[in-house]
Amino acid sequence: MDEKLIQRLESAIARLESLSPGSKPPSGTLDAVSAASEPSIVAYDDLLVEYVVKVSLAAEKIGGQVHDITIVLSQAFATQKELLMKIKQTQKPDGGGMTEFLKPLNDKLAQANNMSEGKRSDFFNHLKAASESLSALIWIAYTGKGCGMSMPIGHVEECWQSAEFYNNKVLVEYKNKDPYHVEWAKALKELYVPGLRDYVKAHYPLGPLWSTTGAVVSAPKSAQPSAPNPPSASLANLASSSSSRPKQGQGMAAVFQEISSKPVTSGLRKVTDDMKTKNRKDRAGFVSSGENEVQKSAPKTAAKTGPPKLELVMGRKWVVENQIGVKDLSIDDCDPKQTVYVFGCKDSVLQIKGKVNNITVDKCTKMGVVFTDVVAAFETVNCSSIEVQCQGAAPTISIDNTSGCQLYLSRESLETSITTAKATEVNVMVPSSDPDADLAEHPLPQQYIHTYQDGNFVTNPVSHSGG
């Protein structure tokens, strides 16, 4: 291993420690020297030397953007070492304090994420693999079962599974092209599995151990909620308004005295003959049902829809929701373990490029879906005016409670099993035997006739005559 690179990494870590705010521990707590000699910190240094340096060496051979994001990755791991040393001198913070405590680490994660966003480069998969993997370092925020995240070991494994999708793309793309990229991808995986996972398992399986007598970290004052504004009414106004009311000690006699002091009918209007109901022409002879008035006063309102979405949730499920009039929706990076759920879309077209496990289209109108392959099934439910095109293979296609479905099958998907339930106007387009001919259309029957023959019911589709 390159000794010069190891020295540079150790000097960089030392500079980060010297520049960190609040690195000087308060009196009565462990100092930086004793904290650095803790077994868990010594083991973390071994993690840096054995795995982080290996990734850095491979990145130097590649250069460019891969080298740049690997530098950020090395800095993020060095920042976590600094936080682990501070934890031994700090009391467990609350929510706002935890955010402030983790700010140096979050800044590095944000920097890596920004490098992977924007215009897609030739090293997109490298950048996404590195940036996605760094979220594994947030295991340090685990404070117990109620904190809303998995236990440290599980968190590291889950985050690496999201990053591994892009890392595998690097391995496949450069397998026979450039061994340096393959070396970098393998080193990145070893950094987290088994590297970081085994480190957390050995030293922090239940999360960090905070000090009981150390410094207290709290959110900055600017982030704390401000006190509510004082009421606008002054004490003088309250006093004057209360003095106008009868005092409780005077009893009901004061109340009757105040009533009798004013004319009872002083505020009433006199009713003339033309104002009486029996003399009004618009009220004579019938009783109004009030339906028109009710309809005018309470017009129908459109159903509320949420914001449009097209995102990957937890690396497992693509969610496409509330897309209206978008004709170029596309999911490019697919995985056979992922599912796609389309909900509440209208007058849009979605193209799924690659193999996924399952596709479900729910409550969509005038929606077009083009997909390549599915491992399990394609399903449409509670939809109307749907067009579906299968370009590859699909074991099962389910059409449930759908009105108007145009289904296009490729030659690879002719053996698919089509299931319909409460479905009307379902037409299936299949390639004809002649390659130059148009697609052959086959309407699926929606009405059946049942006859009792030889002790069993026989079901056949209804045939309608043209006459």
Side-chain angles (χ1 to χ4, degrees), residues 121-140:
S121 69
D122 295 336
F123 305 108
F124 171 78
N125 292 322
H126 300 73
L127 301 178
K128 290 294 290 185
S131 62
E132 291 281 341
S133 67
L134 281 176
S135 59
L137 297 181
I138 301 300
W139 69 265
I140 198 173

Side-chain angles (χ1 to χ4, degrees), residues 98-114:
M98 181 65 76
T99 302
E100 181 67 18
F101 181 81
L102 295 177
K103 187 178 183 303
L105 182 59
N106 287 329
D107 290 344
K108 290 299 175 184
L109 269 62
Q111 182 181 355
N113 185 67
N114 292 335

Side-chain angles (χ1 to χ4, degrees), residues 114-182:
N114 292 335
M115 295 174 68
S116 65
E117 298 295 334
K119 185 177 180 181
R120 178 173 293 199
S121 69
D122 295 336
F123 305 108
F124 171 78
N125 292 322
H126 300 73
L127 301 178
K128 290 294 290 185
S131 62
E132 291 281 341
S133 67
L134 281 176
S135 59
L137 297 181
I138 301 300
W139 69 265
I140 198 173
Y142 182 81
T143 56
K145 291 184 178 180
C147 69
M149 59 182 293
S150 302
M151 295 184 68
I153 301 172
H155 178 78
V156 173
E157 292 177 341
E158 291 170 3
C159 292
W160 171 247
Q161 287 176 0
S162 297
E164 192 173 20
F165 171 74
Y166 300 99
N167 201 60
N168 287 340
K169 283 181 172 288
V170 176
L171 291 172
V172 173
E173 181 180 358
Y174 291 93
K175 181 178 180 181
N176 299 320
K177 291 171 57 176
D178 193 332
Y180 294 149
H181 292 267
V182 176

Side-chain angles (χ1 to χ4, degrees), residues 2 33 138 147 149 184 187 208 236 248 281 317 334-335 362 466:
D2 193 345
V33 177
I138 301 300
C147 69
M149 59 182 293
W184 181 87
Q248 185 176 359
K281 296 181 179 180
K317 181 179 181 181
C334 299
D335 187 279
D362 187 7

Side-chain angles (χ1 to χ4, degrees), residues 280-403:
R280 291 181 60 178
K281 296 181 179 180
D282 59 339
R283 293 294 181 92
F286 68 92
V287 178
S288 174
S289 63
E291 291 181 359
N292 295 333
E293 288 78 3
V294 172
Q295 292 179 357
K296 293 180 180 179
S297 61
K300 294 182 179 180
T301 57
K304 295 183 178 180
T305 59
K309 293 182 181 179
L310 199 165
E311 59 185 9
L312 180 62
V313 179
M314 298 298 292
R316 296 287 184 180
K317 181 179 181 181
W318 285 97
V319 176
V320 184
E321 293 184 358
N322 306 317
Q323 299 286 348
I324 309 297
V326 185
K327 304 293 186 178
D328 56 352
L329 297 171
S330 179
I331 298 176
D332 299 329
D333 298 320
C334 299
D335 187 279
K337 296 181 180 179
Q338 295 173 347
T339 61
V340 179
Y341 181 69
V342 186
F343 176 81
C345 297
K346 182 178 180 181
D347 194 22
S348 300
V349 178
L350 171 65
Q351 186 171 6
I352 304 169
K353 302 176 182 179
K355 180 183 289 187
V356 293
N357 184 271
N358 187 80
I359 302 173
T360 301
V361 183
D362 187 7
K363 292 185 179 179
C364 294
T365 304
K366 295 182 180 180
M367 184 70 186
V369 180
V370 182
F371 67 95
T372 305
D373 299 289
V374 290
V375 178
F378 175 92
E379 303 171 274
T380 173
V381 58
N382 303 323
C383 296
S384 62
S385 301
I386 299 295
E387 292 190 10
V388 180
Q389 181 178 357
C390 177
Q391 297 176 332
T396 302
I397 295 178
S398 175
I399 304 172
D400 186 10
N401 197 20
T402 296
S403 174

